[in-house]
Amino acid sequence: MLPVKVWTIRFLIAHTMATSSSADLSKAVKQQYMELPQGGTVQAMYIWIDGTGEGLRCKTRTLDAEPKTIEDLPEWNFDGSSTYQSEGSNSDMYLIPKAIFRDPFRKDPNKLILCEVLKYNRKPAETNLRQMCAKIMDKVENQHPWFGMEQEYTILGIDGHPFGWPSNGFPGPQGPYYCGVGADKAYGRDIVEAHYRACLYAGVDICGTNAEVMPAQWEFQVGPCEGIRMGDHLWMARFILHRVCEDFGVVVSFDPKPISGNWNGAGCHTNFSTKEMREEGGLKQIEEAIEKLSKRHQYHIRAYDPKGGLDNARRLTGRHETSNINEFSAGVANRGASIRIPRSVGQEKRGYFEDRRPSANCDPYAVTEALIRTCLLGEIGEEPEEYKQ
Ligand SMILES: *[C@@H]1O[C@H](CO)[C@@H](O)[C@H](O)[C@H]1NC(C)=O
Protein backbone atom coordinates (compact mmCIF):
# COMPACT_ATOMS: atom_id res chain seq x y z
CA MET A 1 0.00 0.00 0.00
CA LEU A 2 2.75 2.43 0.93
CA PRO A 3 4.13 3.12 -2.59
CA VAL A 4 0.64 3.92 -3.84
CA LYS A 5 0.18 6.37 -1.02
CA VAL A 6 3.49 8.06 -1.76
CA TRP A 7 2.58 8.26 -5.42
CA THR A 8 -0.80 9.77 -4.58
CA ILE A 9 0.78 12.41 -2.38
CA ARG A 10 3.32 13.29 -5.08
CA PHE A 11 0.54 13.51 -7.64
CA LEU A 12 -1.49 15.80 -5.41
CA ILE A 13 1.48 18.06 -4.69
CA ALA A 14 2.39 18.29 -8.37
CA HIS A 15 -1.15 19.14 -9.35
CA THR A 16 -1.99 21.64 -6.67
CA MET A 17 1.08 23.73 -7.61
CA ALA A 18 -0.61 25.27 -10.62
CA THR A 19 2.50 26.19 -12.59
CA SER A 20 5.90 24.66 -13.04
CA SER A 21 8.65 26.63 -11.38
CA SER A 22 12.14 27.28 -12.68
CA ALA A 23 13.36 25.98 -9.32
CA ASP A 24 12.06 22.54 -10.36
CA LEU A 25 14.37 22.36 -13.39
CA SER A 26 17.44 20.18 -12.98
CA LYS A 27 20.34 22.20 -11.60
CA ALA A 28 22.66 19.27 -12.38
CA VAL A 29 21.79 19.41 -16.09
CA LYS A 30 22.24 23.19 -16.10
CA GLN A 31 25.69 22.78 -14.57
CA GLN A 32 26.92 20.95 -17.69
CA TYR A 33 26.33 24.11 -19.73
CA MET A 34 27.69 26.48 -17.12
CA GLU A 35 31.01 24.64 -17.34
CA LEU A 36 31.43 25.33 -21.09
CA PRO A 37 34.27 27.74 -21.86
CA GLN A 38 33.04 31.16 -22.93
CA GLY A 39 35.81 32.05 -25.38
CA GLY A 40 37.23 35.19 -23.81
CA THR A 41 33.89 36.97 -23.64
CA VAL A 42 32.27 38.29 -20.46
CA GLN A 43 28.59 38.23 -19.51
CA ALA A 44 27.58 41.46 -17.77
CA MET A 45 24.23 41.44 -15.99
CA TYR A 46 22.93 45.02 -15.68
CA ILE A 47 20.71 45.50 -12.61
CA TRP A 48 18.40 48.40 -11.77
CA ILE A 49 15.61 49.51 -9.44
CA ASP A 50 12.23 49.59 -11.18
CA GLY A 51 9.38 52.09 -10.89
CA THR A 52 8.08 50.63 -7.63
CA GLY A 53 11.26 51.74 -5.83
CA GLU A 54 11.47 48.22 -4.40
CA GLY A 55 11.59 45.78 -7.31
CA LEU A 56 14.80 44.93 -9.13
CA ARG A 57 15.19 44.15 -12.83
CA CYS A 58 18.12 42.72 -14.77
CA LYS A 59 19.29 41.83 -18.23
CA THR A 60 22.54 40.60 -19.71
CA ARG A 61 24.87 41.55 -22.53
CA THR A 62 28.12 40.12 -23.86
CA LEU A 63 31.32 42.15 -23.54
CA ASP A 64 34.46 41.43 -25.58
CA ALA A 65 36.79 41.90 -22.63
CA GLU A 66 36.68 41.96 -18.86
CA PRO A 67 35.79 45.45 -17.58
CA LYS A 68 38.34 46.70 -15.04
CA THR A 69 36.63 49.92 -14.04
CA ILE A 70 33.18 51.39 -14.39
CA GLU A 71 34.41 53.44 -17.38
CA ASP A 72 34.92 50.21 -19.34
CA LEU A 73 31.17 49.52 -19.26
CA PRO A 74 28.89 50.86 -21.98
CA GLU A 75 25.64 52.65 -21.19
CA TRP A 76 22.57 50.66 -22.14
CA ASN A 77 18.82 51.16 -22.31
CA PHE A 78 15.52 49.41 -21.68
CA ASP A 79 11.81 49.82 -22.19
CA GLY A 80 10.52 51.80 -19.24
CA SER A 81 6.88 51.17 -20.14
CA SER A 82 7.38 47.59 -18.94
CA THR A 83 8.91 48.51 -15.57
CA TYR A 84 6.41 51.17 -14.36
CA GLN A 85 9.03 53.73 -15.31
CA SER A 86 8.18 55.74 -18.36
CA GLU A 87 5.82 58.48 -19.32
CA GLY A 88 3.81 58.01 -22.50
CA SER A 89 5.68 57.74 -25.75
CA ASN A 90 9.16 58.35 -24.34
CA SER A 91 9.66 54.84 -23.05
CA ASP A 92 13.41 54.50 -23.65
CA MET A 93 15.32 54.73 -20.39
CA TYR A 94 19.10 54.80 -19.95
CA LEU A 95 21.10 52.44 -17.77
CA ILE A 96 24.24 54.06 -16.38
CA PRO A 97 26.68 51.60 -14.78
CA LYS A 98 27.74 52.67 -11.26
CA ALA A 99 29.20 49.68 -9.41
CA ILE A 100 30.77 46.38 -10.50
CA PHE A 101 30.57 43.10 -8.59
CA ARG A 102 31.78 39.58 -9.41
CA ASP A 103 28.94 37.34 -10.55
CA PRO A 104 28.51 34.46 -8.07
CA PHE A 105 25.99 32.69 -10.34
CA ARG A 106 27.94 32.61 -13.61
CA LYS A 107 31.28 33.07 -11.77
CA ASP A 108 34.45 34.81 -13.02
CA PRO A 109 35.04 36.61 -15.28
CA ASN A 110 31.33 37.50 -15.44
CA LYS A 111 29.95 40.57 -13.67
CA LEU A 112 26.93 42.02 -11.93
CA ILE A 113 26.56 45.72 -12.69
CA LEU A 114 24.48 48.02 -10.50
CA CYS A 115 23.02 50.84 -12.63
CA GLU A 116 21.30 54.17 -12.23
CA VAL A 117 18.27 54.87 -14.42
CA LEU A 118 17.93 58.11 -16.39
CA LYS A 119 14.85 59.23 -18.34
CA TYR A 120 14.82 60.12 -22.06
CA ASN A 121 15.90 63.66 -21.08
CA ARG A 122 18.78 62.23 -19.00
CA LYS A 123 17.23 63.38 -15.73
CA PRO A 124 17.07 60.73 -12.97
CA ALA A 125 14.00 58.48 -13.04
CA GLU A 126 11.58 59.00 -10.11
CA THR A 127 12.94 55.98 -8.24
CA ASN A 128 16.59 56.75 -8.98
CA LEU A 129 17.44 58.15 -5.56
CA ARG A 130 21.10 57.34 -5.97
CA GLN A 131 22.06 60.42 -7.93
CA MET A 132 20.96 62.89 -5.22
CA CYS A 133 22.39 60.67 -2.49
CA ALA A 134 25.79 60.66 -4.20
CA LYS A 135 25.71 64.45 -4.44
CA ILE A 136 24.93 64.79 -0.72
CA MET A 137 27.66 62.29 0.17
CA ASP A 138 30.20 64.34 -1.82
CA LYS A 139 29.48 67.36 0.36
CA VAL A 140 30.50 65.55 3.56
CA GLU A 141 33.26 63.36 2.19
CA ASN A 142 35.83 64.85 4.59
CA GLN A 143 33.76 63.70 7.60
CA HIS A 144 33.96 60.06 6.44
CA PRO A 145 30.38 59.01 7.21
CA TRP A 146 30.11 55.29 7.88
CA PHE A 147 26.93 53.23 7.78
CA GLY A 148 25.97 49.68 8.68
CA MET A 149 22.55 48.32 7.78
CA GLU A 150 20.78 45.28 9.23
CA GLN A 151 18.47 43.92 6.55
CA GLU A 152 15.63 41.83 7.93
CA TYR A 153 13.57 39.71 5.53
CA THR A 154 11.05 36.89 5.43
CA ILE A 155 11.23 33.80 3.26
CA LEU A 156 7.90 32.89 1.62
CA GLY A 157 6.77 29.97 -0.51
CA ILE A 158 5.57 30.91 -4.01
CA ASP A 159 2.03 30.86 -2.56
CA GLY A 160 2.98 33.84 -0.37
CA HIS A 161 2.80 31.84 2.89
CA PRO A 162 5.88 31.99 5.19
CA PHE A 163 8.33 29.22 4.37
CA GLY A 164 7.98 26.17 6.61
CA TRP A 165 4.80 27.37 8.37
CA PRO A 166 1.93 24.88 8.53
CA SER A 167 -0.31 25.59 5.54
CA ASN A 168 -3.43 26.02 7.63
CA GLY A 169 -2.12 27.54 10.81
CA PHE A 170 0.75 29.02 12.72
CA PRO A 171 3.98 27.72 14.21
CA GLY A 172 4.50 27.94 17.98
CA PRO A 173 4.76 31.47 19.37
CA GLN A 174 7.93 33.55 19.14
CA GLY A 175 10.69 32.79 21.59
CA PRO A 176 12.86 29.90 20.36
CA TYR A 177 13.60 31.16 16.85
CA TYR A 178 15.94 34.18 17.23
CA CYS A 179 19.48 32.86 16.51
CA GLY A 180 17.89 29.41 16.78
CA VAL A 181 19.27 26.09 15.60
CA GLY A 182 17.40 22.90 14.72
CA ALA A 183 14.84 21.90 12.12
CA ASP A 184 11.98 23.09 14.37
CA LYS A 185 13.56 26.53 14.87
CA ALA A 186 15.60 27.57 11.80
CA TYR A 187 13.36 27.75 8.73
CA GLY A 188 15.30 27.96 5.46
CA ARG A 189 18.93 28.13 6.52
CA ASP A 190 20.11 26.80 3.12
CA ILE A 191 19.03 30.07 1.57
CA VAL A 192 20.86 32.13 4.18
CA GLU A 193 24.08 30.14 3.74
CA ALA A 194 23.96 30.29 -0.07
CA HIS A 195 23.28 34.03 0.00
CA TYR A 196 26.10 34.75 2.47
CA ARG A 197 28.70 32.92 0.39
CA ALA A 198 27.42 34.42 -2.86
CA CYS A 199 27.74 37.92 -1.37
CA LEU A 200 31.30 37.25 -0.21
CA TYR A 201 32.20 36.00 -3.69
CA ALA A 202 30.59 39.03 -5.31
CA GLY A 203 32.55 41.44 -3.12
CA VAL A 204 29.56 42.74 -1.14
CA ASP A 205 30.59 44.06 2.31
CA ILE A 206 28.33 41.59 4.14
CA CYS A 207 29.40 41.27 7.77
CA GLY A 208 27.01 38.73 9.29
CA THR A 209 23.68 36.89 9.36
CA ASN A 210 21.31 35.53 12.01
CA ALA A 211 17.87 33.99 12.37
CA GLU A 212 15.27 36.49 13.55
CA VAL A 213 12.44 36.44 16.10
CA MET A 214 9.67 35.27 13.75
CA PRO A 215 10.23 31.83 12.19
CA ALA A 216 11.27 32.11 8.49
CA GLN A 217 12.54 35.62 9.22
CA TRP A 218 16.28 36.26 8.92
CA GLU A 219 18.71 39.14 8.88
CA PHE A 220 21.96 39.96 7.14
CA GLN A 221 24.19 42.90 7.92
CA VAL A 222 26.14 45.02 5.46
CA GLY A 223 28.84 47.42 6.58
CA PRO A 224 30.62 49.39 7.64
CA CYS A 225 30.40 51.20 4.28
CA GLU A 226 31.45 54.77 3.62
CA GLY A 227 29.12 57.16 1.78
CA ILE A 228 27.31 56.03 -1.36
CA ARG A 229 28.82 52.56 -1.06
CA MET A 230 26.22 51.71 1.63
CA GLY A 231 23.30 51.91 -0.78
CA ASP A 232 25.21 50.19 -3.57
CA HIS A 233 26.17 47.21 -1.45
CA LEU A 234 22.77 46.79 0.21
CA TRP A 235 20.93 46.85 -3.12
CA MET A 236 23.36 44.30 -4.58
CA ALA A 237 22.94 42.07 -1.49
CA ARG A 238 19.16 42.24 -2.01
CA PHE A 239 19.49 41.35 -5.69
CA ILE A 240 21.64 38.33 -4.83
CA LEU A 241 19.07 37.22 -2.24
CA HIS A 242 16.21 37.41 -4.79
CA ARG A 243 18.32 35.41 -7.21
CA VAL A 244 19.29 32.73 -4.67
CA CYS A 245 15.65 32.38 -3.61
CA GLU A 246 14.68 31.94 -7.27
CA ASP A 247 17.04 28.95 -7.50
CA PHE A 248 15.46 27.38 -4.41
CA GLY A 249 11.88 28.04 -5.55
CA VAL A 250 11.04 30.43 -2.69
CA VAL A 251 10.48 34.17 -2.52
CA VAL A 252 11.99 36.85 -0.31
CA SER A 253 9.75 39.52 1.13
CA PHE A 254 10.99 42.84 2.52
CA ASP A 255 7.52 43.78 3.70
CA PRO A 256 7.83 45.52 7.09
CA LYS A 257 4.96 43.52 8.61
CA PRO A 258 4.41 40.35 6.54
CA ILE A 259 2.17 38.71 9.18
CA SER A 260 -0.06 40.88 11.31
CA GLY A 261 -0.68 40.19 14.97
CA ASN A 262 1.81 38.89 17.48
CA TRP A 263 4.68 38.43 15.03
CA ASN A 264 7.70 40.71 14.71
CA GLY A 265 7.91 42.99 11.71
CA ALA A 266 10.99 43.53 9.55
CA GLY A 267 13.17 46.62 9.70
CA CYS A 268 16.46 47.85 8.36
CA HIS A 269 18.23 49.29 11.43
CA THR A 270 20.92 51.70 10.32
CA ASN A 271 24.16 52.37 12.23
CA PHE A 272 25.74 55.74 11.55
CA SER A 273 28.92 57.53 12.56
CA THR A 274 31.38 60.15 11.39
CA LYS A 275 35.14 60.25 11.92
CA GLU A 276 34.63 62.67 14.83
CA MET A 277 32.05 60.40 16.49
CA ARG A 278 34.44 57.47 16.27
CA GLU A 279 37.30 59.39 17.88
CA GLU A 280 37.88 60.08 21.58
CA GLY A 281 35.00 62.05 23.14
CA GLY A 282 32.82 61.41 20.07
CA LEU A 283 29.76 60.84 22.26
CA LYS A 284 29.27 64.61 22.30
CA GLN A 285 28.86 64.65 18.48
CA ILE A 286 26.53 61.65 18.73
CA GLU A 287 24.33 63.47 21.23
CA GLU A 288 24.27 66.59 19.03
CA ALA A 289 23.21 64.51 16.04
CA ILE A 290 20.41 62.87 18.04
CA GLU A 291 19.22 66.30 19.21
CA LYS A 292 18.92 67.36 15.53
CA LEU A 293 17.11 64.15 14.65
CA SER A 294 14.60 64.72 17.46
CA LYS A 295 13.48 67.93 15.74
CA ARG A 296 12.92 66.31 12.35
CA HIS A 297 11.13 63.03 13.05
CA GLN A 298 8.39 63.25 10.39
CA TYR A 299 10.87 64.06 7.61
CA HIS A 300 12.77 60.88 8.47
CA ILE A 301 9.64 58.76 8.71
CA ARG A 302 8.69 59.92 5.21
CA ALA A 303 12.12 58.92 3.87
CA TYR A 304 12.25 55.53 5.60
CA ASP A 305 9.87 53.50 3.45
CA PRO A 306 8.81 53.74 -0.22
CA LYS A 307 5.27 54.83 0.70
CA GLY A 308 6.25 57.83 2.77
CA GLY A 309 5.54 56.18 6.15
CA LEU A 310 2.47 54.12 5.29
CA ASP A 311 4.37 50.83 5.20
CA ASN A 312 6.19 51.58 8.43
CA ALA A 313 2.92 52.51 10.17
CA ARG A 314 2.07 48.79 10.20
CA ARG A 315 5.39 48.00 11.88
CA LEU A 316 6.25 50.91 14.22
CA THR A 317 3.50 50.29 16.74
CA GLY A 318 5.52 50.64 19.94
CA ARG A 319 5.32 46.86 20.37
CA HIS A 320 7.52 43.98 19.16
CA GLU A 321 10.79 45.84 19.83
CA THR A 322 9.74 48.97 17.92
CA SER A 323 9.09 52.59 18.75
CA ASN A 324 5.80 54.36 18.02
CA ILE A 325 5.78 55.98 14.57
CA ASN A 326 4.42 59.25 15.97
CA GLU A 327 7.01 59.74 18.69
CA PHE A 328 10.75 60.30 18.67
CA SER A 329 12.76 58.67 21.43
CA ALA A 330 16.41 57.84 22.09
CA GLY A 331 18.23 55.85 24.73
CA VAL A 332 21.22 53.71 25.64
CA ALA A 333 20.57 50.02 24.86
CA ASN A 334 16.83 50.69 24.42
CA ARG A 335 15.31 48.56 21.64
CA GLY A 336 11.97 50.32 21.98
CA ALA A 337 13.50 53.70 21.03
CA SER A 338 13.73 55.37 17.61
CA ILE A 339 17.47 55.82 18.18
CA ARG A 340 19.55 53.42 20.22
CA ILE A 341 23.02 54.16 21.56
CA PRO A 342 24.74 50.78 22.00
CA ARG A 343 25.80 50.15 25.61
CA SER A 344 29.48 49.88 24.65
CA VAL A 345 29.29 53.30 22.97
CA GLY A 346 27.80 54.80 26.14
CA GLN A 347 30.69 53.36 28.12
CA GLU A 348 33.55 54.22 25.74
CA LYS A 349 32.01 57.63 24.98
CA ARG A 350 32.62 57.25 21.27
CA GLY A 351 31.42 55.19 18.33
CA TYR A 352 28.07 55.30 16.54
CA PHE A 353 24.32 55.22 17.00
CA GLU A 354 21.56 53.11 15.53
CA ASP A 355 18.45 54.50 13.83
CA ARG A 356 15.85 51.76 14.30
CA ARG A 357 13.13 53.42 12.23
CA PRO A 358 13.92 52.44 8.59
CA SER A 359 11.57 49.82 7.18
CA ALA A 360 12.90 46.56 5.67
CA ASN A 361 11.80 47.80 2.22
CA CYS A 362 13.45 51.23 2.59
CA ASP A 363 15.68 52.64 -0.10
CA PRO A 364 19.11 52.84 1.57
CA TYR A 365 19.98 55.84 -0.62
CA ALA A 366 17.05 57.74 0.90
CA VAL A 367 17.88 56.67 4.47
CA THR A 368 21.59 57.54 4.34
CA GLU A 369 20.88 60.83 2.55
CA ALA A 370 18.33 61.86 5.20
CA LEU A 371 20.80 61.13 8.01
CA ILE A 372 23.47 63.28 6.36
CA ARG A 373 21.07 66.15 5.64
CA THR A 374 19.85 66.35 9.23
CA CYS A 375 22.92 65.38 11.25
CA LEU A 376 25.74 66.88 9.16
CA LEU A 377 24.26 69.52 6.87
CA GLY A 378 22.13 70.86 9.73
CA GLU A 379 18.91 71.02 7.74
CA ILE A 380 15.80 71.80 9.76
CA GLY A 381 12.13 71.76 8.84
CA GLU A 382 10.12 69.05 7.18
CA GLU A 383 11.33 69.51 3.59
CA PRO A 384 14.78 68.64 2.23
CA GLU A 385 16.73 71.60 0.88
CA GLU A 386 17.42 71.84 -2.84
CA TYR A 387 21.05 71.45 -3.77
CA LYS A 388 22.18 72.46 -7.23
CA GLN A 389 23.87 69.93 -9.50
C1 LIG B 1 25.04 47.87 14.27
O1 LIG B 1 25.18 48.02 15.65
C2 LIG B 1 24.81 46.89 16.43
C3 LIG B 1 24.97 47.23 17.88
O2 LIG B 1 24.22 48.34 18.20
C4 LIG B 1 25.68 45.71 16.06
O3 LIG B 1 25.26 44.58 16.81
C5 LIG B 1 25.53 45.44 14.59
O4 LIG B 1 26.41 44.41 14.20
C6 LIG B 1 25.83 46.67 13.78
N1 LIG B 1 25.48 46.36 12.41
C7 LIG B 1 26.13 46.83 11.35
C8 LIG B 1 25.67 46.35 10.05
O5 LIG B 1 27.05 47.61 11.45
Side-chain angles (χ1 to χ4, degrees):
M1 282 312 283
L2 195 62
V4 177
K5 256 190 189 158
V6 169
W7 184 84
T8 311
I9 290 165
R10 287 219 179 117
F11 178 85
L12 285 174
I13 290 171
H15 288 259
T16 47
M17 305 278 288
T19 51
S20 52
S21 156
S22 54
D24 299 337
L25 299 175
S26 166
K27 302 303 177 210
V29 174
K30 177 194 169 195
Q31 197 49 37
Q32 181 186 334
Y33 300 96
M34 297 312 283
E35 281 163 7
L36 292 173
Q38 53 186 97
T41 60
V42 171
Q43 290 167 294
M45 183 177 263
Y46 281 43
I47 297 159
W48 69 99
I49 300 162
D50 73 14
T52 63
E54 296 181 65
L56 287 160
R57 308 281 177 132
C58 56
K59 61 176 187 167
T60 302
R61 65 188 294 166
T62 307
L63 304 176
D64 294 335
E66 188 173 348
K68 298 292 179 213
T69 68
I70 211 76
E71 283 73 35
D72 296 338
L73 288 157
E75 282 185 24
W76 206 8
N77 47 52
F78 67 96
D79 170 17
S81 69
S82 302
T83 60
Y84 317 115
Q85 258 164 326
S86 80
E87 304 145 3
S89 52
N90 291 313
S91 71
D92 261 10
M93 313 286 281
Y94 297 102
L95 287 173
I96 316 296
K98 290 294 173 182
I100 310 182
F101 295 84
R102 292 167 73 198
D103 184 338
F105 306 102
R106 294 166 171 148
K107 305 198 185 132
D108 291 338
N110 304 300
K111 304 293 179 207
L112 301 179
I113 314 294
L114 187 69
C115 298
E116 271 189 34
V117 177
L118 301 184
K119 295 191 280 199
Y120 65 96
N121 57 9
R122 299 195 68 86
K123 295 226 157 55
E126 316 314 321
T127 52
N128 173 3
L129 306 185
R130 187 184 185 282
Q131 196 178 79
M132 179 57 82
C133 181
K135 202 190 305 176
I136 297 292
M137 292 299 170
D138 274 352
K139 290 180 183 296
V140 296
E141 203 182 5
N142 59 350
Q143 301 188 52
H144 300 283
W146 285 6
F147 302 93
M149 294 181 90
E150 304 176 357
Q151 176 70 66
E152 294 177 340
Y153 62 93
T154 310
I155 303 171
L156 309 175
I158 51 171
D159 59 357
H161 196 64
F163 177 78
W165 285 33
S167 29
N168 292 311
F170 296 93
Q174 295 183 162
Y177 309 109
Y178 170 73
C179 297
V181 59
D184 56 343
K185 298 183 190 71
Y187 294 31
R189 190 189 301 278
D190 286 347
I191 288 137
V192 180
E193 292 297 319
H195 172 252
Y196 198 166
R197 196 62 71 86
C199 281
L200 289 173
Y201 181 94
V204 169
D205 290 341
I206 186 168
C207 59
T209 66
N210 59 265
E212 268 303 330
V213 175
M214 184 180 96
Q217 197 179 76
W218 296 81
E219 167 181 309
F220 64 84
Q221 300 104 30
V222 176
C225 292
E226 187 163 331
I228 194 72
R229 193 178 165 94
M230 181 70 251
D232 289 350
H233 281 237
L234 189 65
W235 274 115
M236 188 52 73
R238 285 177 180 174
F239 175 82
I240 292 171
L241 183 55
H242 281 296
R243 180 63 186 75
V244 165
C245 284
E246 179 187 314
D247 274 348
F248 281 103
V250 297
V251 176
V252 55
S253 168
F254 296 111
D255 189 278
K257 192 77 178 184
I259 308 295
S260 57
N262 244 343
W263 303 97
N264 273 33
C268 197
H269 301 159
T270 303
N271 294 342
F272 172 56
S273 67
T274 60
K275 188 162 177 286
E276 254 194 316
M277 295 177 192
R278 296 187 291 270
E279 284 170 355
E280 187 153 0
L283 187 60
K284 187 166 167 288
Q285 269 74 35
I286 292 175
E287 283 165 349
E288 281 169 15
I290 293 173
E291 174 67 18
K292 290 176 186 161
L293 287 166
S294 73
K295 303 208 167 95
R296 223 184 179 206
H297 180 60
Q298 286 310 325
Y299 162 73
H300 283 265
I301 289 296
R302 276 208 309 282
Y304 284 1
D305 77 53
K307 300 193 188 66
L310 289 177
D311 274 339
N312 238 341
R314 292 183 281 127
R315 161 181 167 257
L316 295 177
T317 57
R319 299 176 59 221
H320 307 109
E321 300 176 47
T322 68
S323 58
N324 185 298
I325 193 165
N326 298 312
E327 291 159 23
F328 181 90
S329 55
V332 174
N334 181 0
R335 285 171 198 277
S338 320
I339 305 285
R340 177 169 77 116
I341 300 176
R343 197 180 299 284
S344 63
V345 174
Q347 282 161 359
E348 289 170 31
K349 305 214 180 305
R350 64 164 153 179
Y352 62 96
F353 64 85
E354 178 187 59
D355 192 336
R356 297 175 60 80
R357 296 170 293 177
S359 166
N361 61 350
C362 68
D363 187 325
Y365 298 127
V367 172
T368 56
E369 177 186 324
L371 283 166
I372 298 293
R373 282 176 178 272
T374 305
C375 300
L376 304 190
L377 297 179
E379 285 186 19
I380 50 174
E382 289 303 328
E383 293 303 324
E385 277 169 35
E386 282 292 333
Y387 291 100
K388 295 271 170 291
Q389 291 281 346

